[in-house]
Amino acid sequence: DIQMTQSPSSLSASVGDRVTITCRASQSMTRYLNWYQQKPGKAPQLLIYLVSTLQSGVPSRFSGSGSGTEFTLTISSLQPEDFATYYCQQSDSTPPTFGPGTKVDI
Amino acid sequence: QVQLQESGPGLVKPSETLSLTCTVSGDAINNYYWSWIRQPPGRGLEWIGYVFYSGSAHYNPSLKSRVSISVDTSRSQFSLKLSSVTAADTAVYFCARRPPSGSFDFWGQGTLVTVSS
């Protein structure tokens, strides 16, 4: 299985901040890396797929990049509704696996 | 708009079989893979498996001996069975659609299943 790690595990930020979350894979991957946002009591919501493609309806302040074993989710200007937990997920090989999550709070 | 809705018992006794159904609306089930994912309280996400409309299924090796996922295209439903459950199987269970990118783009709201006597 490909193991996914994320850093940091949590961060405190303010509205308007630029936020970067890093996801690392235990082995080199192609482009099958996805990002999700989850709020308490809700299902995860797909933000970005295939490293950098924005899911329909997702604000452009979210962006993704990376290659190989290191990938990044960036929120260019944090908004109040962005306080949530973020997960990366690889679909490069079966079983698909998720990172442990990064909690973004105030 | 694609919608998924999980249904099934919220309480299952240890050693019994957990059974859940996901009903799909707004999209033909005869496309994509359809998935089950779970999340223990306060923890991360674990992929359980997915099924294609043909019935072909793939499972997480960590659960493979206990899990079965099937599809009923006539009802636009797919189902999960997890046998010999223990307290470690207590989780919110989500159903989700898997497009070719391998992501999960539409999710049900999730249903909490508690394993307890």
Side-chain angles (χ1 to χ4, degrees):
Chain A
D1 299 6
I2 297 179
Q3 306 302 318
M4 310 300 291
T5 59
Q6 289 181 232
S7 60
S9 56
S10 66
L11 66 90
S12 294
S14 300
V15 173
D17 285 353
R18 181 180 182 88
V19 170
T20 299
I21 299 169
T22 299
C23 175
R24 291 183 176 87
S26 59
Q27 63 190 68
S28 187
M29 292 171 35
T30 57
R31 295 190 59 79
Y32 291 92
L33 189 286
N34 314 301
W35 289 96
Y36 301 84
Q37 176 193 73
Q38 187 178 32
K39 297 180 180 178
K42 300 293 187 182
Q45 176 187 352
L46 178 64
L47 297 175
I48 289 170
Y49 61 97
L50 296 175
V51 176
S52 58
T53 303
L54 211 59
Q55 173 71 349
S56 175
V58 173
S60 59
R61 62 181 180 272
F62 291 93
S63 64
S65 63
S67 64
T69 61
E70 187 164 317
F71 302 88
T72 299
L73 173 70
T74 299
I75 309 172
S76 61
S77 178
L78 198 67
Q79 297 302 300
E81 60 268 29
D82 300 338
F83 291 95
T85 300
Y86 294 84
Y87 294 93
C88 62
Q89 176 244 330
Q90 67 82 18
S91 48
D92 200 65
S93 68
T94 301
T97 48
F98 293 85
T102 295
K103 185 176 182 180
V104 177
D105 57 21
I106 300 173
Chain B
Q1 177 79 345
V2 180
Q3 292 187 316
L4 296 88
Q5 178 67 57
E6 303 91 350
S7 58
L11 180 64
V12 181
K13 290 182 169 56
S15 80
E16 295 190 344
T17 296
L18 178 160
S19 296
L20 295 173
T21 295
C22 182
T23 301
V24 179
S25 59
D27 187 22
I29 202 167
N30 292 0
N31 296 302
Y32 306 108
Y33 279 89
W34 301 91
S35 310
W36 288 99
I37 296 161
R38 70 180 182 179
Q39 185 172 37
R43 298 181 62 186
L45 298 156
E46 180 183 33
W47 174 75
I48 299 170
Y50 44 59
V51 65
F52 198 49
Y53 77 94
S54 63
S56 171
H58 301 266
Y59 304 123
N60 193 321
S62 67
L63 299 168
K64 189 173 183 178
S65 63
R66 299 195 291 130
V67 69
S68 175
I69 300 175
S70 59
V71 63
D72 184 341
T73 56
S74 66
R75 296 186 176 189
S76 290
Q77 294 178 333
F78 61 105
S79 299
L80 168 69
K81 291 188 185 299
L82 183 65
S83 63
S84 305
V85 297
T86 69
D89 295 309
T90 293
V92 175
Y93 285 76
F94 297 100
C95 57
R97 189 180 81 168
R98 177 193 176 276
S101 66
S103 62
F104 302 101
D105 61 352
F106 288 96
W107 297 62
Q109 64 186 22
T111 186
L112 174 63
V113 179
T114 301
V115 178
S116 175
S117 56

